[in-house]
Amino acid sequence: MSIFVDEHTRVIVQGLTGRQGMFHGLRNRAYGTQVVAGVTPGKGGTDVEGIPVFDTVKEAAAATNANASFIVVPPRFAPEAILEAAAAGIPLIVCITEFIPAKDEAMVAAVLRRDYPGTRLIGPNCPGIISPGRCNIGITAGEIARPGGPVGIVSRSGTLTYQALYELSQQGVGQTTCVGIGGDPVPGTTFIDCLAAFEADPETRAVLMIGEIGGQDEELAAAFIAEHMTKPVVAYIAGVTAPPGRRMGHAGAIVSGSSGTAQAKIEALRAAGAIVAQNPTEAGERMVEVVSRLA
């Protein structure tokens, strides 16, 4: 199995006629993902290499029975695009758009919780989700992923997500699903959401978690691991040497006072029973050791 997506997932691309939307939408289709429609207001009735384009998500969903949306639009349009997909009944929305203002992200999160509790948003500002050999929604290069499991990956960092996939695949260790949840302060899907789904997935037998400084999501995940996870978790926290008060890459990656430090997150994860690595390569090596003991 996989979490959140599988080979039956039917995807519409909001922004398919744009340069980025076309590139990644067609790349996802070439990987084997069922990309069934695009949405661009004013371009309904056209197509992109055989993929029909509609003016609205509602029209696209009704015509294609889509159950996921991949949002590739500029930041000023992204909040409206997310809510349009939710209003159209799309249960899974993947938004890779970065630079959405935090107040807009908070508004979207509040509306989703209030009006569309059955809708899952992955992102924004994330690489997306891939279940190797089954479905790829986002910007992850499918070539670096290896099907078959038994490892699930959840990460706040796009680049380290790719490194984790590559290093595990090079060692012959496959992945069930890899979820890039994004590094913004208000993610649609959290570490805990993914840990719970991996714990329930019979094909996932271990989890690689990649966090970073800022916020409390890793500490909350540690508490969840201690109480609910029966499967081994290997973790890596990026930003050990980051100076307090300076934003490091992601909008959410900033340490204020003693809150959100790498050391606090590492200590919480170790106390919860996770194996904490000192760098991404060591994280891959520790996971290879864990998987070897599972066999």
Side-chain angles (χ1 to χ4, degrees), residues 5-251:
V5 297
D6 59 25
E7 62 272 29
H8 304 295
T9 302
R10 296 172 63 81
V11 184
I12 63 173
V13 180
Q14 292 176 252
L16 180 66
T17 59
R19 183 168 59 91
Q20 293 295 323
M22 188 180 301
F23 178 82
H24 293 294
L26 293 175
R27 199 177 189 197
N28 286 176
R29 185 177 71 169
Y31 185 75
T33 306
Q34 293 196 61
V35 179
V36 297
V39 173
T40 301
K43 294 191 177 181
T46 63
D47 75 277
V48 173
E49 297 195 11
I51 303 172
V53 176
F54 297 83
D55 287 322
T56 69
V57 177
K58 184 177 181 180
E59 293 172 350
T64 65
N65 199 30
N67 56 6
S69 178
F70 173 25
I71 294 178
V72 197
V73 302
R76 66 182 183 279
F77 301 129
E80 182 180 354
I82 294 169
L83 295 180
E84 182 190 354
I90 300 295
L92 176 68
I93 302 168
V94 178
C95 181
I96 68 165
T97 304
E98 59 180 344
F99 303 125
I100 299 175
K103 64 179 178 58
D104 292 343
E105 291 185 358
M107 179 275 294
V108 168
V111 173
L112 292 179
R113 281 196 302 269
R114 183 191 66 202
D115 297 338
Y116 310 105
T119 299
R120 174 172 301 285
L121 170 64
I122 296 177
N125 190 16
C126 75
I129 180 171
I130 180 170
S131 177
R134 292 169 171 163
C135 181
N136 186 10
I137 306 174
I139 60 177
T140 301
E143 296 85 350
I144 63 174
R146 182 184 177 96
V151 176
I153 300 174
V154 55
S155 172
R156 282 176 70 183
S157 166
T159 302
L160 295 180
T161 302
Y162 312 143
Q163 183 174 354
L165 281 168
Y166 179 78
E167 294 200 9
L168 290 181
S169 295
Q170 289 298 299
Q171 296 291 328
V173 176
Q175 308 92 39
T176 52
T177 308
C178 175
V179 189
I181 59 175
D184 280 1
V186 191
T189 292
T190 67
F191 281 123
I192 291 176
D193 295 329
C194 295
L195 289 168
F198 283 134
E199 176 69 16
D201 175 30
E203 288 187 2
T204 299
R205 300 182 66 194
V207 179
L208 177 57
M209 172 183 154
I210 301 173
E212 60 186 17
I213 59 170
Q216 295 183 313
D217 285 0
E218 288 81 358
E219 287 91 336
L220 295 174
F224 182 88
I225 290 168
E227 189 167 352
H228 299 288
M229 292 295 291
T230 63
K231 301 175 181 179
V233 177
V234 175
Y236 168 66
I237 302 297
V240 172
T241 60
R246 180 179 299 176
R247 180 174 295 169
M248 304 296 288
H250 288 158

